[in-house]
Amino acid sequence: MRKRQDVLADPVAGILVHRPDLCEQINSWQVIPEVYPSDFPSDAATYFDFFKAKEALAPQETLQKGQEFFSQKGDLYLAMLGFYSLPYCYAFADGAQVLIRSKRIIENIGERLGETGSFLLSLFKPGAFYENSEAYLVCAKVRLVHAFSRYFIKNYSKDWNEDFGEPINQEDLIGTNLAFSLMVLRGMRKLNQEASPIETIQILNYWSWIGDLLGLNIGYWPETPKESFE
């Protein structure tokens, strides 16, 4: 899993890095459009079509349960993300090598953390994924950011050690997703705000859906609290 990355997004980053005009267009979107620009590369169209196809499959009940949980405990959720989950990620040396090389976690800490908080709020916005589709574009952009990071490390980093594994690999992606779910709930428990077993499963299911959008191989995603702990 440390050798596997994202076969859908990585080719698109290799194209867009030479097409800043298309990057600017994508950044101007509010949602993924039905019709792409006339000169849109086929790989990029296939990439965004993946998200449009997912919208028809949105598991509304699962999404509603996750959003209800966040509406009740969102402040605590964000606090645990910042004070517990993200430091937990940064302590994982091999995976954190990407953050070091991007320099943003060193030179733009506040901005970087603010983006993460904004990302989370977009994902848990009431009606996200099944009533409004903005969150699909948010996930698509984050997934491309990961792909751009891989591209620049592969092509320009002179000190990448193969012992780290491939940058932003499947194991790192799954671990990060668990940090945004399991570790948040573990932090709540430390504050005597423990989620119930049913709520824990609901949050794991919510992040399974998000993980699929972000390019995780969710065949390895845990379905129960015990599996997630292991």
Side-chain angles (χ1 to χ4, degrees):
M1 296 297 282
R2 297 204 64 73
K3 297 296 184 182
R4 300 178 186 177
Q5 296 171 297
D6 188 338
V7 295
L8 186 63
D10 289 344
V12 182
I15 295 169
L16 293 181
V17 74
H18 301 293
R19 292 291 307 274
D21 58 315
L22 288 180
C23 293
E24 188 173 345
Q25 287 188 51
I26 292 169
N27 282 329
S28 72
W29 294 348
Q30 298 299 313
V31 296
I32 299 172
E34 288 299 318
V35 179
Y36 304 118
S38 58
D39 59 344
F40 213 57
S42 60
D43 281 350
T46 299
Y47 174 75
F48 285 105
D49 283 345
F50 165 82
F51 294 91
K52 290 195 289 189
K54 282 292 181 181
E55 187 168 1
L57 304 174
Q60 184 170 338
E61 184 177 355
T62 294
L63 296 169
Q64 286 177 328
K65 293 295 185 183
Q67 289 162 17
E68 287 170 6
F69 180 85
F70 190 82
S71 70
Q72 297 167 7
K73 299 185 178 181
D75 289 347
L76 185 59
Y77 203 111
L78 289 169
M80 291 302 92
L81 183 71
F83 289 111
Y84 191 56
S85 298
L86 292 178
Y88 195 92
C89 292
Y90 303 153
F92 178 58
D94 288 350
Q97 295 296 331
V98 173
L99 294 171
I100 294 169
R101 281 157 182 77
S102 74
K103 297 188 177 180
R104 298 202 60 220
I105 202 61
I106 299 172
E107 298 176 358
N108 304 105
I109 299 172
E111 183 180 349
R112 177 68 178 81
L113 294 177
E115 288 172 353
T116 302
S118 177
F119 168 67
L120 200 74
L121 289 171
S122 297
L123 298 184
F124 279 102
K125 183 178 179 180
F129 299 112
Y130 61 92
E131 285 183 349
N132 54 69
S133 56
E134 292 93 340
Y136 290 102
L137 180 59
V138 170
C139 290
K141 285 183 176 181
V142 167
R143 190 168 172 178
L144 282 177
V145 168
H146 292 162
F148 274 114
S149 296
R150 295 187 196 100
Y151 176 89
F152 283 108
I153 287 175
K154 181 178 180 180
N155 289 281
Y156 296 103
S157 179
K158 300 183 185 303
D159 62 346
W160 187 263
N161 188 330
E162 290 187 1
D163 290 342
F164 300 150
E166 296 293 336
I168 314 184
N169 57 65
Q170 283 291 323
E171 185 175 88
D172 290 345
L173 287 170
I174 291 173
T176 302
N177 236 39
L178 283 169
F180 278 59
S181 52
L182 170 69
M183 297 310 299
V184 166
L185 300 180
R186 187 179 292 180
M188 289 181 178
R189 185 171 71 240
K190 287 178 177 286
L191 295 179
N192 296 318
Q193 299 288 330
E194 186 168 5
S196 70
I198 292 177
E199 288 173 328
T200 300
I201 292 173
Q202 289 170 347
I203 290 298
L204 287 174
N205 289 342
Y206 200 92
W207 281 97
S208 176
W209 170 253
I210 294 170
D212 195 18
L213 296 174
L214 294 178
L216 277 67
N217 182 338
I218 57 169
Y220 292 93
W221 185 252
E223 296 180 354
T224 66
K226 186 177 188 302
E227 285 181 3
S228 65
F229 174 80
E230 294 295 340

